[in-house]
Amino acid sequence: MDMQAPPGHATARLVPPVPAPPEQELATLRFIAAMRVNGILCWPASAYEAPLRHRRLFGRNRFTVSDPELVRHVLVDNAANYARTPMTIRILRPLLGDGLLISEGTAWRHQRRTLAPAFTPRAVETLVPHILSASDEAVVALEGPTARGPVDLFAALQRLALEIAGRTMFSVGMAVHGDRLRGFLEAYAARLGRPHLTDLLVPLRFATPLDRARARFRRDWVAFLDGVIADRDQGQDGRHEGEARDLLDLLRAARDPETGRGFTHEELRDQVATMILAGHETTAVTLLWACTLLALAPEAQAAVAAESASADKPFTRAVIEETMRLYPPAFVLARRALRPDMLGGEAVRPGDSVTISPWLLHRHRKLWRDPDAFDPARFLPGAPPVPRFAYLPFGAGPRVCIGAAFALTEATLALSRIVGHFRIERADARPVLPAAVVTTQPDHAPAFRLTRRA
């Protein structure tokens, strides 16, 4: 599979820095330690060329799949045989409840059918004004006193992504609730959101001390979300009857086309949590990585700025898609086999884990030309099509991210607004390295210098 970019779109070659992978397979305890600190260091250098790898971990087989046909088999053709892993459920359920991201079976099918109308292209179009207004206000804020010196752009982009999430979900900003919401997420990520040895070894039906701490977090988190929804409803008196202004209205009006059933309050709250968390965190890291790359690639940055005033933004969108290739927000998809299966001649037993890593797929030596280089031309109109199961920023198959179109629109418009207004440069020479735990975060908040364009 040769991802050769079309001629005429080349810029100076940029290979952003990444941590060097281990030369050999990690021993079990070092593997677990890498999962807690930086998941991309779990795989040795040979994983970037192998179509299928397998190791034993605590008596179970653990497969890593990097062949597009095998990826298709797991995520599409035999998707019903693969469920979320107990560790995934343990880490995500305290935040997301039984929302779309981690529900299974009948509950998942009901949620997916009910949510689908809220994410059609027409529905997404109604949310664009929220994206633009929040982006414009973020630009104004960056023009303030802090913009005259080094800027913590990551913090600004997190606020922007959260503001967009708040406005698209509730038609109101996050001035009142934003800081507390970020506080919840940062506190959870610091300890409770990191994989622990007990998450792997203890059956899901038994609560570990970490599970009990997560349950205490969930009680406070649920009360907070109920308060946010109640506050939003009290401020909606001026809304015309039947008028859908935001995602919350769309979700409340949604009905399962097969059963006619809508969401209960608890189901609605879990969908709100899923949309806000999954949406704003992934958007923030994507925008941060895009700005980091453009600061190192002035020709590409100039091209984004040049089309910022136009309605069509093919190059800006290509930058976002190439950013998600190099730094996929969801760096790993983990599944557990429910029944026996075969993968590339290897026997999969019930309970075995199957890992599909967009990080590995997107940088695989056998699938991409110059895989570590930043080259937005791969995604421009006229470029060779990207094979579907070699590029998975939003997953694939029945469980592909339902908000993919919205996320691409949001990131493209926000990046266009920022780069159209500011020239972005790094304020220091310290490399920014990816550190993946739940999402592919930077290892530190890099300092940027922003200069207003003429």
Side-chain angles (χ1 to χ4, degrees), residues 215-300:
R216 290 192 295 272
F217 170 90
R218 176 152 181 84
R219 286 194 293 271
D220 294 339
W221 172 240
V222 163
F224 168 72
L225 288 175
D226 283 340
V228 174
I229 293 172
D231 285 354
R232 179 266 191 189
D233 288 343
Q234 290 176 4
Q236 292 293 301
D237 294 339
R239 181 170 59 88
H240 295 298
E241 186 69 28
E243 176 189 359
R245 301 186 355 173
D246 50 37
L247 274 173
L248 190 63
D249 284 338
L250 291 171
L251 297 184
R252 277 185 169 148
R255 296 292 180 270
D256 186 328
E258 292 188 10
T259 66
R261 186 169 77 84
F263 290 127
T264 66
H265 172 77
E266 291 74 18
E267 290 172 333
L268 182 70
R269 182 185 60 219
D270 287 346
Q271 304 308 335
V272 167
T274 299
M275 301 307 166
I276 289 180
L277 270 61
H280 103 269
E281 192 67 23
T282 56
T283 297
V285 296
T286 296
L287 289 173
L288 184 278
W289 288 120
C291 289
T292 302
L293 290 166
L294 292 179
L296 300 173
E299 294 175 38

Side-chain angles (χ1 to χ4, degrees), residues 303-360:
V304 171
E307 70 178 21
S308 63
S310 65
D312 195 23
K313 305 182 189 302
F315 189 78
T316 308
R317 182 184 172 108
V319 166
I320 292 296
E321 293 184 288
E322 175 70 344
T323 298
M324 290 191 295
R325 184 187 71 82
L326 287 171
Y327 304 99
F331 75 101
V332 67
L333 309 173
R335 297 289 187 268
R336 173 176 54 91
L338 303 177
R339 293 173 294 278
D341 197 10
M342 294 293 294
L343 283 177
E346 299 270 5
V348 180
R349 298 174 181 175
D352 286 350
S353 66
V354 176
T355 295
I356 298 166
S357 170
W359 176 272
L360 284 180

Side-chain angles (χ1 to χ4, degrees), residues 2-234:
D2 187 354
M3 303 295 176
Q4 175 63 53
H9 293 105
T11 59
R13 182 173 181 269
L14 167 65
V15 179
V18 296
E23 288 299 319
Q24 304 293 330
E25 188 84 67
L26 294 178
T28 296
L29 292 181
R30 290 188 63 200
F31 181 86
I32 300 299
M35 289 175 63
R36 284 185 59 80
V37 177
N38 191 351
I40 64 176
L41 295 179
C42 289
W43 300 292
S46 59
Y48 292 83
E49 296 186 355
L52 177 68
R53 301 180 69 257
H54 125 264
R55 66 174 293 167
R56 297 283 289 178
L57 191 68
F58 301 119
R60 294 283 189 184
N61 292 316
R62 186 181 183 92
F63 296 91
T64 301
V65 177
S66 298
D67 176 89
E69 287 306 310
L70 296 181
V71 171
R72 178 187 176 116
H73 175 81
V74 173
L75 296 183
V76 181
D77 299 337
N78 201 18
N81 188 45
Y82 292 95
R84 300 289 186 190
T85 65
M87 185 169 70
T88 300
I89 294 170
R90 273 194 153 108
I91 291 173
L92 294 183
R93 180 166 281 160
L95 285 169
L96 307 180
D98 292 312
L100 183 68
L101 197 63
I102 60 174
S103 61
E104 300 282 356
T106 302
W108 174 80
R109 287 189 289 274
H110 159 65
Q111 292 179 41
R112 185 80 183 198
R113 290 192 303 261
T114 308
L115 285 168
F119 291 93
T120 62
R122 182 176 179 182
V124 169
E125 192 65 27
T126 66
L127 302 175
V128 166
H130 295 302
I131 300 171
L132 296 178
S133 63
S135 299
D136 287 341
E137 289 173 22
V139 165
V140 171
L142 286 168
E143 286 184 322
T146 58
R148 289 195 282 270
V151 174
D152 181 353
L153 192 54
F154 192 27
L157 293 172
Q158 287 175 317
R159 288 193 297 271
L160 168 58
L162 182 58
E163 190 68 21
I164 292 173
R167 294 188 190 192
T168 54
M169 180 60 71
F170 303 120
S171 295
V172 295
M174 285 284 102
V176 174
H177 300 291
D179 288 345
R180 193 169 175 217
L181 194 151
R182 283 300 313 170
F184 270 109
L185 300 187
E186 289 167 4
Y188 193 83
R191 185 173 74 92
L192 302 179
R194 293 181 179 272
H196 190 271
L197 188 60
T198 57
D199 294 329
L200 279 171
L201 295 180
V202 179
L204 195 57
R205 63 183 179 275
F206 298 117
T208 68
L210 199 56
D211 289 335
R212 287 191 283 273
R214 289 166 176 157
R216 290 192 295 272
F217 170 90
R218 176 152 181 84
R219 286 194 293 271
D220 294 339
W221 172 240
V222 163
F224 168 72
L225 288 175
D226 283 340
V228 174
I229 293 172
D231 285 354
R232 179 266 191 189
D233 288 343
Q234 290 176 4

